[in-house]
Amino acid sequence: MIGFIGLGIMGSRMAGRLLAHGHALIVHNRSQEKAEPLLNQGARWAASPKEVAEHADIVFTMLANPKAVETVAIGENGFLDHLAEGSLWVDMSTVDPSFSRRMAQEAGKRKVRFLDAPVAGSKIPAEKGELVFHVGGKAEDLEEVRPLLECMGRAVHHQGEVGSGTAMKIVINLMLAQSMAAFAEAVTLGEALGFDKAHVVDTLLGGATAAPFLRGKRDKIVNGDFEPEFPLEHMQKDLQLVAQTAFEQNVALPLANAGKELYALAKQKGYRGQDFSAIYQFLKDR
Ligand SMILES: NC(=O)c1ccc[n+]([C@@H]2O[C@H](COP(=O)([O-])OP(=O)(O)OC[C@H]3O[C@@H](n4cnc5c(N)ncnc54)[C@H](OP(=O)(O)O)[C@@H]3O)[C@@H](O)[C@H]2O)c1
């Protein structure tokens, strides 16, 4: 049986894809109510991560941050001590490469195999099974789960050894965060200069300077509706992971650190649960 832990915005939809493809699933989430729709579709409930491990030989995790992953894996009633030898843990959460390597070591101590397999793509691609996986770990372990990843994603890229999936993911999210913030500043300036908001947004989107993903943020900015697809607090977390990793690599990232603090301010001012495109609203409201 397949275990799935972490049924937030992304995990609930990804687990739903596995169920829709006919896979038997045992699921757990810190808040049980988020599991209800999946239980109604036939998933089995586990009262703890430990209980997931007692019934599964592959466990997927899709959790908020490194602390959440560590708690669920090796905290009280964590799953890792209870998985059978030879089982496979696939962590799809966005964490930093050093953390992935540490979790791989923890898994290895218990003779459990490990892949880091974070995803690019948000709520809608998760719903449609159109995510892109960046995977670190052994090629043969990836081949074993590839058919499952293909239920959830349209592409699976093997980036190399353990930690290289999360390494590529934070490189991507550095661009995502900065492109969003730069766009938000440009729109803010355009409006201050007297242009209508929709006109500035559409002019930018029609030119060569806007990143393609920004088209999906158009209506949020124009209508001022920031219902989360990718919560702003996770974007700030990802920039924190970028900064930490850059320090470990002795690389200077001046813009990333400025961006990290911009998102941190927005988080403190109440935008944490909104979509990260609310960075625009934060700039407007200041
Ligand atoms: N949303 C996106 O567009 C997107 C895209 C790519 C990657 N990601 C990454 O995917 C991961 C999940 O994102 P999401 O958008 O699904 O986030 P989310 O909706 O906030 O879900 C977070 C999940 O982590 C659990 N969690 C948080 N802290 C925990 C703790 N201390 N112990 C146990 N469980 C804990 C939550 O449980 P509760 O339900 O009990 O709070 C929930 O299941 C994150 O690493 C994010 O950066 C997100």
Side-chain angles (χ1 to χ4, degrees), residues 5-12 28-34 62-65 67-69 71-72 92-95 118-123 131 169 173 228-231 233-235 237-238 275-276:
I5 305 175
L7 304 172
I9 293 175
M10 297 295 284
S12 58
H28 174 77
N29 193 59
R30 182 178 60 177
S31 330
Q32 185 175 351
E33 69 275 7
K34 289 190 190 160
M62 189 55 170
L63 295 154
N65 51 40
K67 183 168 172 283
V69 176
T71 302
V72 163
M92 306 184 293
S93 322
T94 303
V95 296
V119 299
S122 197
K123 180 173 154 180
L131 295 168
K169 173 63 185 169
N173 272 25
E229 289 171 3
F230 182 25
E233 66 176 322
H234 293 337
M235 183 49 89
K237 173 262 302 183
D238 288 354
D275 191 69
F276 79 107

Side-chain angles (χ1 to χ4, degrees), residues 112-136:
V112 169
R113 296 170 293 147
F114 177 88
L115 292 171
D116 48 300
V119 299
S122 197
K123 180 173 154 180
I124 307 296
E127 210 156 280
K128 294 183 172 168
E130 292 176 355
L131 295 168
V132 175
F133 284 90
H134 295 283
V135 185

Side-chain angles (χ1 to χ4, degrees), residues 2-285:
I2 298 167
F4 203 111
I5 305 175
L7 304 172
I9 293 175
M10 297 295 284
S12 58
R13 290 168 172 82
M14 294 162 80
R17 297 287 309 172
L18 290 171
L19 270 181
H21 279 78
H23 294 289
L25 231 56
I26 179 160
V27 300
H28 174 77
N29 193 59
R30 182 178 60 177
S31 330
Q32 185 175 351
E33 69 275 7
K34 289 190 190 160
E36 291 306 331
L38 293 165
L39 302 186
N40 292 336
Q41 291 165 55
R44 178 171 168 184
W45 172 248
S48 65
K50 170 176 180 269
E51 198 180 317
V52 171
E54 287 165 353
H55 299 278
D57 44 14
I58 295 178
V59 172
F60 288 99
T61 44
M62 189 55 170
L63 295 154
N65 51 40
K67 183 168 172 283
V69 176
E70 185 162 5
T71 302
V72 163
I74 52 178
E76 200 185 336
N77 281 326
F79 66 83
L80 208 44
D81 276 335
H82 303 276
L83 275 173
E85 284 187 11
S87 301
L88 183 53
W89 170 21
V90 185
D91 185 26
M92 306 184 293
S93 322
T94 303
V95 296
D96 57 293
S98 297
F99 178 81
S100 293
R101 287 191 287 271
R102 186 155 71 77
M103 286 301 104
Q105 277 172 3
E106 291 292 342
K109 282 186 214 163
R110 294 148 173 101
K111 298 198 167 35
V112 169
R113 296 170 293 147
F114 177 88
L115 292 171
D116 48 300
V119 299
S122 197
K123 180 173 154 180
I124 307 296
E127 210 156 280
K128 294 183 172 168
E130 292 176 355
L131 295 168
V132 175
F133 284 90
H134 295 283
V135 185
K138 289 202 172 122
E140 63 264 30
D141 294 339
L142 168 56
E143 288 318 309
E144 190 177 318
V145 290
R146 187 183 285 276
L148 299 176
L149 300 185
E150 285 175 348
C151 297
M152 301 180 272
R154 65 173 165 82
V156 178
H157 301 298
H158 187 209
Q159 296 295 351
E161 61 194 18
V162 157
S164 59
T166 43
M168 185 56 80
K169 173 63 185 169
I170 61 169
V171 168
I172 293 168
N173 272 25
L174 169 56
M175 281 298 293
L176 187 67
Q178 301 290 56
S179 304
M180 187 70 251
F183 189 78
E185 285 195 349
V187 176
T188 304
L189 177 62
E191 282 183 275
L193 290 169
F195 294 112
D196 169 66
K197 178 164 63 172
H199 178 62
V200 187
V201 166
D202 289 335
T203 302
L204 288 168
L205 291 177
T209 56
F213 82 89
L214 288 164
R215 287 194 197 99
K217 300 299 181 190
R218 179 202 182 273
D219 291 351
K220 287 188 178 301
I221 292 179
V222 170
N223 302 330
D225 173 5
F226 297 101
E227 197 200 324
E229 289 171 3
F230 182 25
L232 185 141
E233 66 176 322
H234 293 337
M235 183 49 89
Q236 193 255 338
K237 173 262 302 183
D238 288 354
L239 287 171
Q240 174 62 28
L241 302 179
V242 163
Q244 233 166 272
T245 305
F247 174 78
E248 290 168 11
Q249 298 300 321
N250 198 25
V251 170
L253 299 177
L255 292 180
N257 280 277
K260 170 165 77 70
E261 296 310 304
L262 174 66
Y263 283 97
L265 283 170
K267 181 176 147 188
Q268 284 167 9
K269 293 288 180 191
Y271 297 84
R272 64 183 307 150
Q274 297 188 31
D275 191 69
F276 79 107
S277 52
I279 201 67
Y280 159 78
Q281 201 58 51
F282 169 68
L283 290 172
K284 285 286 291 181
D285 291 348

